[in-house]
Amino acid sequence: MPPTRGETLSDFEALLCDGETFRSTPLSEALGSRGGVVVSTGFAFSAIARNWWKRFDRAGWGEFEDVAVLGVSRDGPYAQSAFLRRLGRPDFRFFADVDGTVSESLDLLTDRDHMADVSTPWRAAFVVDADREVRYAHVADDWISPLPRSEIESVVGTLGAETADE
């Protein structure tokens, strides 16, 4: 089962791409001081990914204060970087999950009908705090529906609130 609210995401490590460079980075180092939004989109240049990430851009996700917005896709680092450059969003970064280990650690991999020996991750989003605790989890049950953006944004707004009250 993919991670659910209250569980902790594994501290997976993969090449993290910013549009210009890439280096092996654990999730814990990629998160902002308040946490992050981890979005699994399958393949970077797919129509779904292009649609979703343009929506995230228009919704102002690049402006989340101290909350990283991190994509995960099965493409290599050069394709990831090209996708990020095309988006023109230097504040979004992508983990290159070429071998599927990140998606496997999130238990998102599934075999695709009519695609022999091919597995791709379910489209998903996780909002996590700075300790990688899942505050919100959404795993799509189809391949094309958009993410529940307003729910994600609402949870992002609460990240770090508990430490501010202490």
Side-chain angles (χ1 to χ4, degrees):
M1 295 254 332
T4 59
R5 185 184 165 127
E7 296 180 343
T8 301
L9 287 190
S10 67
D11 198 16
F12 60 78
E13 185 168 334
L15 294 176
L16 184 63
C17 310
D18 65 10
E20 298 298 324
T21 64
F22 51 88
R23 82 172 38 117
S24 187
T25 306
L27 174 61
S28 59
E29 289 181 19
L31 296 174
S33 61
R34 291 176 46 223
V37 180
V38 179
V39 179
S40 171
T41 58
F43 292 97
F45 280 100
S46 69
I48 294 164
R50 288 192 316 259
N51 183 0
W52 281 15
W53 288 89
K54 286 178 187 176
R55 287 179 183 209
F56 302 159
D57 179 29
R58 286 191 302 267
W61 283 24
E63 310 304 318
F64 289 155
E65 187 173 334
D66 301 321
V67 176
V69 179
L70 306 163
V72 176
S73 91
R74 294 292 305 270
D75 297 290
Y78 295 105
Q80 302 277 22
S81 290
F83 183 72
L84 288 166
R85 285 192 301 272
R86 188 171 197 172
L87 282 175
R89 292 305 314 197
D91 32 20
F92 293 157
R93 294 173 294 158
F94 266 68
F95 283 102
D97 187 25
V98 177
D99 61 5
T101 57
V102 173
S103 298
E104 189 174 354
S105 78
L106 299 172
D107 201 20
L108 294 174
L109 284 182
T110 187
D111 292 330
R112 297 295 298 266
D113 291 339
H114 311 299
M115 296 173 73
D117 300 322
V118 173
S119 60
T120 58
W122 284 105
R123 305 325 183 234
F126 303 94
V127 178
V128 298
D129 65 18
D131 296 322
R132 302 184 330 275
E133 181 182 331
V134 177
R135 299 304 182 93
Y136 177 85
H138 174 81
V139 179
D141 56 6
D142 64 40
W143 297 108
I144 59 172
S145 297
L147 291 176
R149 239 186 40 234
S150 60
E151 292 176 23
I152 292 168
E153 292 164 358
S154 178
V155 175
V156 165
T158 68
L159 289 176
E162 63 284 347
T163 57
D165 295 336
E166 295 176 345

